[in-house]
Amino acid sequence: MDIMRKVAVGAVAVAGLSFFAAGTAAADPVPAPMPPPLPAPMPVPLPAGTYLGTTNVLGGDLIWKGKTFGPGWVMDNFGVFFPYIFGMTTPEPGGSLVTDYSPSGLNFLTDRITPRPDGTYEGTVYINGNPVAGYALHK
């Protein structure tokens, strides 16, 4: 088939589809439903940066120094034995921040950080969903 004939056949097909679509649209007075709105972004509970920490674990303050946060991640800062432990963070609607440490191979370990009115943060460490320790963070 030569090029002119292909163009003519294509034009007739497009015109027929347009006519069919216009007839269908005119016969259907119900508008298409609107897509659901996108969820509003949740506020990030902790601005990025390094926070100093204290813990209620006996002797824990000797090795654990705090946390460093970035967009969607956290590193727990330790002394000489463990340089850091990496986790992924997820903000919750209530303002808390949940950390999942499975990227470091610690599938059993999570924590939850909640802002305090005084500008500091309170955290709880969970092993297999059971609270085992607490901590506080500040700039």
Side-chain angles (χ1 to χ4, degrees):
M1 190 183 285
D2 66 339
I3 191 72
M4 294 302 282
R5 192 170 183 184
K6 287 181 183 178
V7 170
V9 169
V12 169
V14 169
L17 287 175
S18 298
F19 178 73
F20 177 75
T24 302
D28 187 9
V30 178
M34 293 296 292
L38 294 174
M42 288 188 279
V44 177
L46 281 98
T50 298
Y51 293 77
L52 301 176
T54 57
T55 180
N56 63 1
V57 174
L58 184 62
D61 292 331
L62 297 175
I63 59 168
W64 184 72
K65 305 303 178 189
K67 296 177 180 274
T68 300
F69 292 89
W73 59 267
V74 65
M75 285 189 330
D76 277 61
N77 303 319
F78 289 87
V80 294
F81 301 113
F82 278 75
Y84 64 88
I85 295 176
F86 179 77
M88 301 302 293
T89 59
T90 305
E92 290 186 323
S96 295
L97 188 69
V98 175
T99 303
D100 170 20
Y101 289 99
S102 60
S104 289
L106 305 171
N107 299 354
F108 57 88
L109 185 65
T110 58
D111 68 26
R112 174 174 280 109
I113 303 165
T114 306
R116 292 183 187 164
D118 65 358
T120 62
Y121 301 89
E122 182 176 3
T124 304
V125 179
Y126 298 86
I127 293 181
N128 293 324
N130 299 310
V132 295
Y135 61 91
L137 296 172
H138 66 283
K139 275 289 196 175

